[in-house]
Each structure stands twice: as structure tokens, then as C-alpha cells.
Amino acid sequence: MVKVLFVCLGNICRSPMAEAVFRSQVNEAGLADRIEVDSAGTGDWHIGKPPHEGTRQILKQYGIDDAGMFARQVSKNDFQDFQYIIAMDDMNVKDLAQWFPEDRKVEVKKMLDFVPKHAGGNVPDPYYTGNFQEVYEMIDEGCQRLLQVIREEQGLN
């Protein structure tokens, strides 16, 4: 089983959006039995809360299910359990460093590293900007390209 973890600051806007979008794409590709998806936040402010209303609205607009999703915080075990950890911005990558175990098996990458026109960029936080549509478009494209990479690297057809 290939395991993918999306990470943002509070786990209520960007990372749950990426989790839901990616899970939908994995299901459409017929790979739900081969790829497991989760999300987490670097902060603990929203633990146990559902995704932000703006995230839920944009997912509903695109017919993507967010049922059963609740915020959680990253743990050191995540670095052993997941083969792909995808952060939304530079600060998330920096914050994740506090959880890096010395024997970690995974390299943290940013979502937009998979989108050539935005390579190296950051997914803006709609909690502050309010632009859930822009974030959805970035995440949708990033997830599509991430799925291609995983299929190639893991030999999934």
C-alpha cells in the first residue's frame, strides 16, 4: 500500500482539500486498493474539527466527498508510515523539520513542486486569502501530476 500525507498549517483548508481531491482522483483511477490518503496540520489549533466551510463548499461544487474528515496534527510516526509527504508551503516544510526523526524514510516535497508553471511556489492559505477557487485549481493540478509520479515510481497501472 502506497501512503500519501498532505500537510498544511491547521489541517482545515488546504491539506484536507488535497486529501479529498487526491482520494477522488485515486478512486477514479481504480487505485483505491493501492493508495491510501490522509492529511494533517503542523499546528494543533483545529484538532478534531471538520474542514473549513470554504473547503467544504468548493469540494461540494466539484462533487468531491469530504465525509469523515477531521483535523489532526502531524506525528513522528507519519515519517515512518507514509512514502509521500506533501506540504503546501515553505513554512510547512520548515515546521515539519521539528518532527523529522533521524531515521525517516521519506522526503518532504511541496505540492507545487509537481506543477511546472508554479514549481517551487507555495499554495496560498485560503484561511487568510479567502480564495478557495484558486487554491482548488492549484491542488487539483498538483494532485493529478502527483498521481502520475506515484504511478511511475511505484509501477501502478
Side-chain angles (χ1 to χ4, degrees):
M1 181 68 76
V2 177
K3 296 176 78 175
V4 180
L5 179 68
F6 294 100
V7 178
C8 70
L9 182 60
N11 193 218
I12 60 167
C13 293
R14 295 171 293 172
S15 59
M17 185 185 298
E19 175 186 350
V21 167
F22 193 67
R23 182 176 290 118
S24 175
Q25 293 174 0
V26 165
N27 288 339
E28 286 177 26
L31 295 170
D33 62 334
R34 311 277 308 274
I35 300 175
E36 185 177 317
V37 188
D38 197 3
S39 65
T42 58
D44 62 359
W45 313 280
H46 303 291
I47 292 174
K49 294 181 182 174
H52 185 281
E53 180 61 29
T55 293
R56 291 195 315 262
Q57 287 178 356
I58 198 81
L59 292 173
K60 183 178 180 181
Q61 178 183 330
Y62 287 94
I64 298 172
D65 186 20
D66 67 351
M69 294 175 59
F70 297 96
R72 74 172 183 90
Q73 189 174 25
V74 173
S75 74
K76 285 189 178 188
N77 290 341
D78 290 333
F79 292 92
Q80 302 302 321
D81 295 341
F82 291 88
Q83 289 86 20
Y84 296 88
I85 296 180
I86 311 300
M88 297 296 134
D89 62 34
D90 291 326
M91 185 57 73
N92 302 149
V93 174
K94 182 179 176 189
D95 289 343
L96 283 168
Q98 68 182 308
W99 281 284
F100 286 172
E102 288 184 24
D103 61 344
R104 73 181 188 270
K105 300 176 183 176
V106 63
E107 175 187 356
V108 174
K109 296 186 179 183
K110 290 193 315 184
M111 173 61 79
L112 293 183
D113 289 345
F114 298 95
V115 182
K117 67 183 175 193
H118 296 295
N122 296 311
V123 176
D125 192 340
Y127 185 84
Y128 300 106
T129 68
N131 197 340
F132 287 87
Q133 181 64 45
E134 174 189 29
V135 169
Y136 173 83
E137 291 168 9
M138 291 176 161
I139 285 174
D140 182 55
E141 184 174 357
C143 285
Q144 288 175 32
R145 293 177 183 271
L146 172 61
L147 184 56
Q148 290 174 342
V149 167
I150 291 172
R151 289 178 88 152
E152 291 169 9
E153 290 180 357
Q154 302 294 326
L156 301 176
N157 297 322

